Amino acid sequence: ANGPLAGKTIADAAALWREKAKGRAMPARSDLTARVMKAYLPHTSILERVGTGTSARYRVRLHGTASASYAGDKTGQFVDEFVPAELLGSYTSVYDTVLELQLPLRLVRDFQAPEIDYLAGESLVAPLSRPGTSSPLILSITYVEPRSALTARH
């Protein structure tokens, strides 16, 4: 699918992730510089898992300007502070899966939160290693459009 990523697609983002992994399980956060990520930055979020097991929570370390334009800037907030409790599992299960499998996932979804339920989105959610820790970060690149436009294309 094509999205408004400066001519780039989610598939292009996945190819960049694989290229920067250079044969490793995943690229390091430092491999994805602002220059490399320029086309994707407005649509990029970076999250970190804080804690372990059932007490684990996800904090937004970076929330791109395009994402913030429709969802508000969530930088520094925990996902459970802005996602309704009944929808939280649909977010955390994706993040948990990415970290457990250490593989990227492509998602296509209709948003369900009331303030953005008219939107559909496509995302790449992928792990990023951090030197000195065994807990990868999560890279999420998402573009959204009105549900009707995405449905018409697929």
Side-chain angles (χ1 to χ4, degrees):
N2 291 315
L5 293 171
K8 300 291 187 180
T9 65
I10 291 297
D12 294 328
L16 177 64
W17 183 90
R18 283 191 298 279
E19 173 193 325
K20 293 300 179 180
K22 301 175 186 143
R24 299 169 293 178
M26 67 190 81
R29 167 68 185 93
S30 59
D31 293 326
L32 299 178
T33 63
R35 181 173 304 209
V36 167
M37 295 293 294
K38 184 176 181 180
Y40 306 102
L41 278 179
H43 304 272
T44 297
S45 296
I46 295 179
L47 300 96
E48 68 178 328
R49 182 163 53 186
V50 178
T52 57
T54 57
S55 66
R57 297 173 75 197
Y58 289 93
R59 180 187 298 134
V60 179
R61 300 252 317 244
L62 170 79
H63 199 222
T65 56
S67 301
S69 71
Y70 61 82
D73 186 5
K74 306 301 184 194
T75 301
Q77 294 183 39
F78 283 94
V79 173
D80 58 40
E81 293 173 339
F82 59 86
V83 172
E86 65 274 12
L87 301 177
L88 186 61
S90 66
Y91 286 78
T92 59
S93 62
V94 169
Y95 304 147
D96 290 343
T97 300
V98 164
L99 293 180
E100 184 177 328
L101 299 179
Q102 297 193 356
L103 293 170
L105 295 177
R106 175 183 171 259
L107 306 171
V108 177
R109 64 179 180 258
D110 290 340
F111 290 97
Q112 297 173 351
E115 63 278 8
I116 57 172
D117 66 359
Y118 64 94
L119 294 172
E122 183 179 7
S123 301
L124 169 72
V125 183
L128 296 174
S129 67
R130 293 189 283 178
T133 176
S134 61
S135 178
L137 293 170
I138 294 170
L139 169 71
S140 177
I141 299 172
T142 299
Y143 78 78
V144 300
E145 57 191 347
R147 244 182 228 192
S148 55
L150 190 66
T151 303
R153 269 211 328 273
H154 290 283

